[in-house]
Amino acid sequence: MKKILALLLALCMVFALAACGESKAPEQPAEEPAEAPAEAPAEETPAEEPAEATEMRVAMITDYGDITDQSFNQTTYEACKAYCEENGVDFTYFKPAGDTTADRVAMVEKAVDEDYNVVVMPGFAFAGTIAEVQDEYPEVKFIALDVSEFDIMSSFKNEKDAHLSANVYSAVYQEELCGYMAGYAAVKMGYKHLGFLGGMAVPAVVRYGFGFVQGADAAAKELGIENEVAVEYVYGNQFFGDADITAYMDTWYGEKGVEVVFACGGGIFTSAAEAAAKVEGKVIGVDVDQAGIIDTAYGEGLTVTSAMKGLAETVKHMLSEIAAGNFANYGGKVENLGLISENAEENYVQLPMESTVWNDGFTQDNYKELVKAMFDGTVTVESISDASAMPEHVITVNEYGNIK
């Protein structure tokens, strides 16, 4: 019996030693990767920042015009370029070969192929492009300017397929408000014979024009000169000036005695400015503060004011939000931007403080009072996008349709 117990005790000691040996074997290699988890957080810390902050690459695609159109495309291009240079972000732009959705889609494809993951598209003409590419490139963030939800939804062949994806954000603007400001200011400044030269009768241009009429009408009523104020109203049916449109403007400024023309639509302002310069007439700029552009090219003091919308501000804001990882707050939305403050200079639609030719009839203080009244609802402006639905008015408005 004692021999058996001794044998069992010996066997237990052997197994215990074997077990100890096995437990130590994996401990040696385990010590090496044990340090890796301690180092990993230090290596991964930068990746915890928004991916857009380090990987964002921005491409802009032009619509009808190019980056020297002194209007919509140029403003968007310069805003993208300025932001990207300031923040060390890769940026380029693409100009479509033609004026079709297929041409614009081709440029989106080229941008994506070249690893650009933020695409900025200015103008309603991109509606069809958005409908085609938004789901094709879900990893790309699209920023559209002036592309309405209606434009996008109407671009789908099948109404049931119409939608706006979470990787698309579009900003549209209440052009009727700054158009109103410009028309109101012009009449208050003493101009009684006004003209509106639109590019094409697309919603944004129509809202500008009909806002302009409403503003001129309101100012004439306040001054009690309803029977003395007239607006000549026409569309060029293109977004650039040429000899034919300049000749038409020559007639307005010359034979008709028009004093100031609100030229609204890309580069079409060149025809109005060229004609105005011949007879010391005046013009009103659009989209951006065009005083520097127009006055430098055609004559000092030619530009009375400009009806502006915050294209550059929108671009810079959205690129900043993407870099901060906040695009989810905007994706899948179309925002209608207008007045956000009673402070005139804080709004997405406004007249320029510095270059507007203020006078005793309409001062900066008068302008600030107008904006405050518009912001609090004392003054209301009708938003109309249908070119055939001219707003009610008591002043004379002569409509001529299209020049071409």
Side-chain angles (χ1 to χ4, degrees), residues 193-222:
H193 200 169
L194 288 59
F196 176 79
L197 170 63
M200 299 177 71
V202 298
V205 175
V206 172
R207 288 193 294 271
Y208 266 130
F210 287 174
F212 184 72
V213 169
Q214 291 177 73
D217 191 62
K221 289 176 183 176
E222 289 181 16

PDB file of all heavy atoms in Angstrom, residues 193-222:
ATOM      1  N   HIS A 193     -37.235 105.651 -64.252  1.00  0.00           N
ATOM      2  CA  HIS A 193     -37.365 104.780 -65.424  1.00  0.00           C
ATOM      3  C   HIS A 193     -36.327 103.672 -65.310  1.00  0.00           C
ATOM      4  O   HIS A 193     -35.134 103.883 -65.538  1.00  0.00           O
ATOM      5  CB  HIS A 193     -37.184 105.567 -66.716  1.00  0.00           C
ATOM      6  CG  HIS A 193     -37.767 104.873 -67.904  1.00  0.00           C
ATOM      7  ND1 HIS A 193     -37.911 105.484 -69.137  1.00  0.00           N
ATOM      8  CD2 HIS A 193     -38.280 103.609 -68.069  1.00  0.00           C
ATOM      9  CE1 HIS A 193     -38.467 104.638 -69.991  1.00  0.00           C
ATOM     10  NE2 HIS A 193     -38.685 103.497 -69.365  1.00  0.00           N
ATOM     11  N   LEU A 194     -36.799 102.487 -64.946  1.00  0.00           N
ATOM     12  CA  LEU A 194     -35.921 101.357 -64.661  1.00  0.00           C
ATOM     13  C   LEU A 194     -36.044 100.279 -65.731  1.00  0.00           C
ATOM     14  O   LEU A 194     -37.031 100.227 -66.473  1.00  0.00           O
ATOM     15  CB  LEU A 194     -36.273 100.733 -63.303  1.00  0.00           C
ATOM     16  CG  LEU A 194     -35.932 101.484 -62.015  1.00  0.00           C
ATOM     17  CD1 LEU A 194     -36.600 102.843 -61.942  1.00  0.00           C
ATOM     18  CD2 LEU A 194     -36.335 100.661 -60.805  1.00  0.00           C
ATOM     19  N   GLY A 195     -35.028  99.424 -65.787  1.00  0.00           N
ATOM     20  CA  GLY A 195     -35.077  98.290 -66.699  1.00  0.00           C
ATOM     21  C   GLY A 195     -34.627  97.021 -65.994  1.00  0.00           C
ATOM     22  O   GLY A 195     -33.790  97.075 -65.092  1.00  0.00           O
ATOM     23  N   PHE A 196     -35.204  95.897 -66.399  1.00  0.00           N
ATOM     24  CA  PHE A 196     -34.733  94.599 -65.913  1.00  0.00           C
ATOM     25  C   PHE A 196     -34.345  93.757 -67.120  1.00  0.00           C
ATOM     26  O   PHE A 196     -35.179  93.461 -67.991  1.00  0.00           O
ATOM     27  CB  PHE A 196     -35.803  93.861 -65.106  1.00  0.00           C
ATOM     28  CG  PHE A 196     -35.372  92.475 -64.685  1.00  0.00           C
ATOM     29  CD1 PHE A 196     -34.528  92.291 -63.606  1.00  0.00           C
ATOM     30  CD2 PHE A 196     -35.780  91.352 -65.410  1.00  0.00           C
ATOM     31  CE1 PHE A 196     -34.096  91.018 -63.234  1.00  0.00           C
ATOM     32  CE2 PHE A 196     -35.358  90.075 -65.055  1.00  0.00           C
ATOM     33  CZ  PHE A 196     -34.511  89.913 -63.963  1.00  0.00           C
ATOM     34  N   LEU A 197     -33.067  93.379 -67.184  1.00  0.00           N
ATOM     35  CA  LEU A 197     -32.560  92.512 -68.241  1.00  0.00           C
ATOM     36  C   LEU A 197     -32.163  91.193 -67.609  1.00  0.00           C
ATOM     37  O   LEU A 197     -31.120  91.087 -66.952  1.00  0.00           O
ATOM     38  CB  LEU A 197     -31.344  93.158 -68.930  1.00  0.00           C
ATOM     39  CG  LEU A 197     -30.567  92.257 -69.898  1.00  0.00           C
ATOM     40  CD1 LEU A 197     -31.439  91.836 -71.081  1.00  0.00           C
ATOM     41  CD2 LEU A 197     -29.291  92.961 -70.381  1.00  0.00           C
ATOM     42  N   GLY A 198     -32.999  90.168 -67.776  1.00  0.00           N
ATOM     43  CA  GLY A 198     -32.699  88.860 -67.225  1.00  0.00           C
ATOM     44  C   GLY A 198     -31.956  88.004 -68.233  1.00  0.00           C
ATOM     45  O   GLY A 198     -32.027  88.247 -69.436  1.00  0.00           O
ATOM     46  N   GLY A 199     -31.251  87.005 -67.739  1.00  0.00           N
ATOM     47  CA  GLY A 199     -30.579  86.074 -68.636  1.00  0.00           C
ATOM     48  C   GLY A 199     -31.606  85.171 -69.278  1.00  0.00           C
ATOM     49  O   GLY A 199     -32.150  85.475 -70.341  1.00  0.00           O
ATOM     50  N   MET A 200     -31.931  84.068 -68.623  1.00  0.00           N
ATOM     51  CA  MET A 200     -33.009  83.187 -69.058  1.00  0.00           C
ATOM     52  C   MET A 200     -34.085  83.182 -67.978  1.00  0.00           C
ATOM     53  O   MET A 200     -33.801  83.430 -66.804  1.00  0.00           O
ATOM     54  CB  MET A 200     -32.483  81.769 -69.306  1.00  0.00           C
ATOM     55  CG  MET A 200     -31.431  81.701 -70.397  1.00  0.00           C
ATOM     56  SD  MET A 200     -30.739  80.040 -70.625  1.00  0.00           S
ATOM     57  CE  MET A 200     -32.129  79.212 -71.370  1.00  0.00           C
ATOM     58  N   ALA A 201     -35.309  82.892 -68.369  1.00  0.00           N
ATOM     59  CA  ALA A 201     -36.424  82.939 -67.421  1.00  0.00           C
ATOM     60  C   ALA A 201     -36.475  81.676 -66.559  1.00  0.00           C
ATOM     61  O   ALA A 201     -37.489  80.975 -66.497  1.00  0.00           O
ATOM     62  CB  ALA A 201     -37.741  83.134 -68.168  1.00  0.00           C
ATOM     63  N   VAL A 202     -35.369  81.409 -65.882  1.00  0.00           N
ATOM     64  CA  VAL A 202     -35.307  80.289 -64.943  1.00  0.00           C
ATOM     65  C   VAL A 202     -35.739  80.805 -63.570  1.00  0.00           C
ATOM     66  O   VAL A 202     -35.741  82.013 -63.327  1.00  0.00           O
ATOM     67  CB  VAL A 202     -33.889  79.694 -64.894  1.00  0.00           C
ATOM     68  CG1 VAL A 202     -33.501  79.141 -66.261  1.00  0.00           C
ATOM     69  CG2 VAL A 202     -32.874  80.736 -64.437  1.00  0.00           C
ATOM     70  N   PRO A 203     -36.130  79.912 -62.655  1.00  0.00           N
ATOM     71  CA  PRO A 203     -36.687  80.362 -61.375  1.00  0.00           C
ATOM     72  C   PRO A 203     -35.883  81.421 -60.638  1.00  0.00           C
ATOM     73  O   PRO A 203     -36.448  82.412 -60.162  1.00  0.00           O
ATOM     74  CB  PRO A 203     -36.788  79.061 -60.587  1.00  0.00           C
ATOM     75  CG  PRO A 203     -37.059  78.024 -61.630  1.00  0.00           C
ATOM     76  CD  PRO A 203     -36.212  78.439 -62.800  1.00  0.00           C
ATOM     77  N   ALA A 204     -34.577  81.242 -60.511  1.00  0.00           N
ATOM     78  CA  ALA A 204     -33.772  82.201 -59.749  1.00  0.00           C
ATOM     79  C   ALA A 204     -33.812  83.590 -60.376  1.00  0.00           C
ATOM     80  O   ALA A 204     -33.942  84.608 -59.688  1.00  0.00           O
ATOM     81  CB  ALA A 204     -32.331  81.712 -59.637  1.00  0.00           C
ATOM     82  N   VAL A 205     -33.704  83.653 -61.695  1.00  0.00           N
ATOM     83  CA  VAL A 205     -33.730  84.939 -62.398  1.00  0.00           C
ATOM     84  C   VAL A 205     -35.115  85.580 -62.302  1.00  0.00           C
ATOM     85  O   VAL A 205     -35.239  86.789 -62.100  1.00  0.00           O
ATOM     86  CB  VAL A 205     -33.307  84.764 -63.872  1.00  0.00           C
ATOM     87  CG1 VAL A 205     -33.458  86.079 -64.637  1.00  0.00           C
ATOM     88  CG2 VAL A 205     -31.874  84.262 -63.960  1.00  0.00           C
ATOM     89  N   VAL A 206     -36.140  84.758 -62.418  1.00  0.00           N
ATOM     90  CA  VAL A 206     -37.508  85.272 -62.302  1.00  0.00           C
ATOM     91  C   VAL A 206     -37.743  85.857 -60.910  1.00  0.00           C
ATOM     92  O   VAL A 206     -38.322  86.932 -60.757  1.00  0.00           O
ATOM     93  CB  VAL A 206     -38.539  84.156 -62.598  1.00  0.00           C
ATOM     94  CG1 VAL A 206     -39.954  84.638 -62.289  1.00  0.00           C
ATOM     95  CG2 VAL A 206     -38.440  83.710 -64.051  1.00  0.00           C
ATOM     96  N   ARG A 207     -37.269  85.165 -59.889  1.00  0.00           N
ATOM     97  CA  ARG A 207     -37.439  85.678 -58.526  1.00  0.00           C
ATOM     98  C   ARG A 207     -36.715  87.011 -58.339  1.00  0.00           C
ATOM     99  O   ARG A 207     -37.223  87.924 -57.688  1.00  0.00           O
ATOM    100  CB  ARG A 207     -36.947  84.641 -57.502  1.00  0.00           C
ATOM    101  CG  ARG A 207     -37.859  83.425 -57.373  1.00  0.00           C
ATOM    102  CD  ARG A 207     -37.501  82.592 -56.145  1.00  0.00           C
ATOM    103  NE  ARG A 207     -36.196  81.984 -56.234  1.00  0.00           N
ATOM    104  CZ  ARG A 207     -35.956  80.786 -56.777  1.00  0.00           C
ATOM    105  NH1 ARG A 207     -36.959  80.076 -57.295  1.00  0.00           N
ATOM    106  NH2 ARG A 207     -34.738  80.278 -56.810  1.00  0.00           N
ATOM    107  N   TYR A 208     -35.531  87.129 -58.906  1.00  0.00           N
ATOM    108  CA  TYR A 208     -34.814  88.401 -58.866  1.00  0.00           C
ATOM    109  C   TYR A 208     -35.675  89.514 -59.506  1.00  0.00           C
ATOM    110  O   TYR A 208     -35.863  90.588 -58.932  1.00  0.00           O
ATOM    111  CB  TYR A 208     -33.506  88.302 -59.654  1.00  0.00           C
ATOM    112  CG  TYR A 208     -32.279  87.962 -58.872  1.00  0.00           C
ATOM    113  CD1 TYR A 208     -31.428  86.939 -59.305  1.00  0.00           C
ATOM    114  CD2 TYR A 208     -31.913  88.682 -57.733  1.00  0.00           C
ATOM    115  CE1 TYR A 208     -30.259  86.633 -58.613  1.00  0.00           C
ATOM    116  CE2 TYR A 208     -30.755  88.379 -57.038  1.00  0.00           C
ATOM    117  CZ  TYR A 208     -29.921  87.360 -57.485  1.00  0.00           C
ATOM    118  OH  TYR A 208     -28.762  87.061 -56.795  1.00  0.00           O
ATOM    119  N   GLY A 209     -36.137  89.223 -60.707  1.00  0.00           N
ATOM    120  CA  GLY A 209     -36.868  90.233 -61.472  1.00  0.00           C
ATOM    121  C   GLY A 209     -38.172  90.650 -60.818  1.00  0.00           C
ATOM    122  O   GLY A 209     -38.479  91.849 -60.716  1.00  0.00           O
ATOM    123  N   PHE A 210     -38.935  89.672 -60.357  1.00  0.00           N
ATOM    124  CA  PHE A 210     -40.229  89.988 -59.748  1.00  0.00           C
ATOM    125  C   PHE A 210     -40.058  90.633 -58.374  1.00  0.00           C
ATOM    126  O   PHE A 210     -40.891  91.435 -57.947  1.00  0.00           O
ATOM    127  CB  PHE A 210     -41.089  88.730 -59.672  1.00  0.00           C
ATOM    128  CG  PHE A 210     -41.632  88.291 -61.006  1.00  0.00           C
ATOM    129  CD1 PHE A 210     -42.336  87.104 -61.140  1.00  0.00           C
ATOM    130  CD2 PHE A 210     -41.430  89.055 -62.148  1.00  0.00           C
ATOM    131  CE1 PHE A 210     -42.846  86.696 -62.361  1.00  0.00           C
ATOM    132  CE2 PHE A 210     -41.929  88.659 -63.393  1.00  0.00           C
ATOM    133  CZ  PHE A 210     -42.640  87.466 -63.495  1.00  0.00           C
ATOM    134  N   GLY A 211     -38.976  90.303 -57.694  1.00  0.00           N
ATOM    135  CA  GLY A 211     -38.661  91.005 -56.455  1.00  0.00           C
ATOM    136  C   GLY A 211     -38.321  92.461 -56.743  1.00  0.00           C
ATOM    137  O   GLY A 211     -38.740  93.374 -56.003  1.00  0.00           O
ATOM    138  N   PHE A 212     -37.576  92.684 -57.816  1.00  0.00           N
ATOM    139  CA  PHE A 212     -37.190  94.027 -58.238  1.00  0.00           C
ATOM    140  C   PHE A 212     -38.427  94.883 -58.522  1.00  0.00           C
ATOM    141  O   PHE A 212     -38.519  96.036 -58.081  1.00  0.00           O
ATOM    142  CB  PHE A 212     -36.320  93.916 -59.492  1.00  0.00           C
ATOM    143  CG  PHE A 212     -35.765  95.206 -60.015  1.00  0.00           C
ATOM    144  CD1 PHE A 212     -34.752  95.869 -59.326  1.00  0.00           C
ATOM    145  CD2 PHE A 212     -36.229  95.757 -61.199  1.00  0.00           C
ATOM    146  CE1 PHE A 212     -34.217  97.062 -59.817  1.00  0.00           C
ATOM    147  CE2 PHE A 212     -35.705  96.941 -61.698  1.00  0.00           C
ATOM    148  CZ  PHE A 212     -34.694  97.597 -61.007  1.00  0.00           C
ATOM    149  N   VAL A 213     -39.382  94.309 -59.223  1.00  0.00           N
ATOM    150  CA  VAL A 213     -40.622  95.027 -59.537  1.00  0.00           C
ATOM    151  C   VAL A 213     -41.384  95.370 -58.254  1.00  0.00           C
ATOM    152  O   VAL A 213     -41.884  96.490 -58.081  1.00  0.00           O
ATOM    153  CB  VAL A 213     -41.512  94.187 -60.478  1.00  0.00           C
ATOM    154  CG1 VAL A 213     -42.916  94.795 -60.600  1.00  0.00           C
ATOM    155  CG2 VAL A 213     -40.863  94.063 -61.860  1.00  0.00           C
ATOM    156  N   GLN A 214     -41.466  94.405 -57.339  1.00  0.00           N
ATOM    157  CA  GLN A 214     -42.183  94.645 -56.087  1.00  0.00           C
ATOM    158  C   GLN A 214     -41.519  95.747 -55.258  1.00  0.00           C
ATOM    159  O   GLN A 214     -42.200  96.582 -54.651  1.00  0.00           O
ATOM    160  CB  GLN A 214     -42.249  93.351 -55.255  1.00  0.00           C
ATOM    161  CG  GLN A 214     -43.132  92.277 -55.862  1.00  0.00           C
ATOM    162  CD  GLN A 214     -43.103  90.987 -55.042  1.00  0.00           C
ATOM    163  OE1 GLN A 214     -43.676  90.930 -53.949  1.00  0.00           O
ATOM    164  NE2 GLN A 214     -42.434  89.979 -55.560  1.00  0.00           N
ATOM    165  N   GLY A 215     -40.195  95.767 -55.247  1.00  0.00           N
ATOM    166  CA  GLY A 215     -39.486  96.792 -54.487  1.00  0.00           C
ATOM    167  C   GLY A 215     -39.691  98.174 -55.078  1.00  0.00           C
ATOM    168  O   GLY A 215     -39.919  99.146 -54.336  1.00  0.00           O
ATOM    169  N   ALA A 216     -39.586  98.263 -56.408  1.00  0.00           N
ATOM    170  CA  ALA A 216     -39.799  99.548 -57.072  1.00  0.00           C
ATOM    171  C   ALA A 216     -41.230 100.030 -56.856  1.00  0.00           C
ATOM    172  O   ALA A 216     -41.475 101.226 -56.622  1.00  0.00           O
ATOM    173  CB  ALA A 216     -39.506  99.400 -58.565  1.00  0.00           C
ATOM    174  N   ASP A 217     -42.173  99.103 -56.905  1.00  0.00           N
ATOM    175  CA  ASP A 217     -43.586  99.435 -56.718  1.00  0.00           C
ATOM    176  C   ASP A 217     -43.830  99.976 -55.303  1.00  0.00           C
ATOM    177  O   ASP A 217     -44.521 100.983 -55.110  1.00  0.00           O
ATOM    178  CB  ASP A 217     -44.433  98.193 -56.967  1.00  0.00           C
ATOM    179  CG  ASP A 217     -45.926  98.485 -57.062  1.00  0.00           C
ATOM    180  OD1 ASP A 217     -46.312  99.234 -57.986  1.00  0.00           O
ATOM    181  OD2 ASP A 217     -46.683  97.978 -56.218  1.00  0.00           O
ATOM    182  N   ALA A 218     -43.240  99.314 -54.299  1.00  0.00           N
ATOM    183  CA  ALA A 218     -43.432  99.730 -52.904  1.00  0.00           C
ATOM    184  C   ALA A 218     -42.843 101.117 -52.663  1.00  0.00           C
ATOM    185  O   ALA A 218     -43.462 101.966 -51.982  1.00  0.00           O
ATOM    186  CB  ALA A 218     -42.789  98.714 -51.967  1.00  0.00           C
ATOM    187  N   ALA A 219     -41.651 101.369 -53.197  1.00  0.00           N
ATOM    188  CA  ALA A 219     -41.013 102.672 -53.008  1.00  0.00           C
ATOM    189  C   ALA A 219     -41.822 103.773 -53.698  1.00  0.00           C
ATOM    190  O   ALA A 219     -41.973 104.879 -53.149  1.00  0.00           O
ATOM    191  CB  ALA A 219     -39.594 102.636 -53.565  1.00  0.00           C
ATOM    192  N   ALA A 220     -42.341 103.485 -54.886  1.00  0.00           N
ATOM    193  CA  ALA A 220     -43.143 104.477 -55.618  1.00  0.00           C
ATOM    194  C   ALA A 220     -44.411 104.825 -54.836  1.00  0.00           C
ATOM    195  O   ALA A 220     -44.816 105.994 -54.767  1.00  0.00           O
ATOM    196  CB  ALA A 220     -43.500 103.938 -56.996  1.00  0.00           C
ATOM    197  N   LYS A 221     -45.025 103.826 -54.233  1.00  0.00           N
ATOM    198  CA  LYS A 221     -46.222 104.067 -53.425  1.00  0.00           C
ATOM    199  C   LYS A 221     -45.894 104.949 -52.224  1.00  0.00           C
ATOM    200  O   LYS A 221     -46.644 105.878 -51.899  1.00  0.00           O
ATOM    201  CB  LYS A 221     -46.810 102.733 -52.945  1.00  0.00           C
ATOM    202  CG  LYS A 221     -47.458 101.901 -54.030  1.00  0.00           C
ATOM    203  CD  LYS A 221     -47.916 100.553 -53.452  1.00  0.00           C
ATOM    204  CE  LYS A 221     -48.512  99.657 -54.527  1.00  0.00           C
ATOM    205  NZ  LYS A 221     -48.859  98.311 -53.994  1.00  0.00           N
ATOM    206  N   GLU A 222     -44.796 104.654 -51.557  1.00  0.00           N
ATOM    207  CA  GLU A 222     -44.401 105.435 -50.395  1.00  0.00           C
ATOM    208  C   GLU A 222     -44.141 106.889 -50.762  1.00  0.00           C
ATOM    209  O   GLU A 222     -44.459 107.816 -49.998  1.00  0.00           O
ATOM    210  CB  GLU A 222     -43.156 104.837 -49.739  1.00  0.00           C
ATOM    211  CG  GLU A 222     -43.396 103.514 -49.017  1.00  0.00           C
ATOM    212  CD  GLU A 222     -42.135 102.984 -48.359  1.00  0.00           C
ATOM    213  OE1 GLU A 222     -41.168 103.775 -48.199  1.00  0.00           O
ATOM    214  OE2 GLU A 222     -42.102 101.789 -48.004  1.00  0.00           O
TER     215      GLU A 222
END
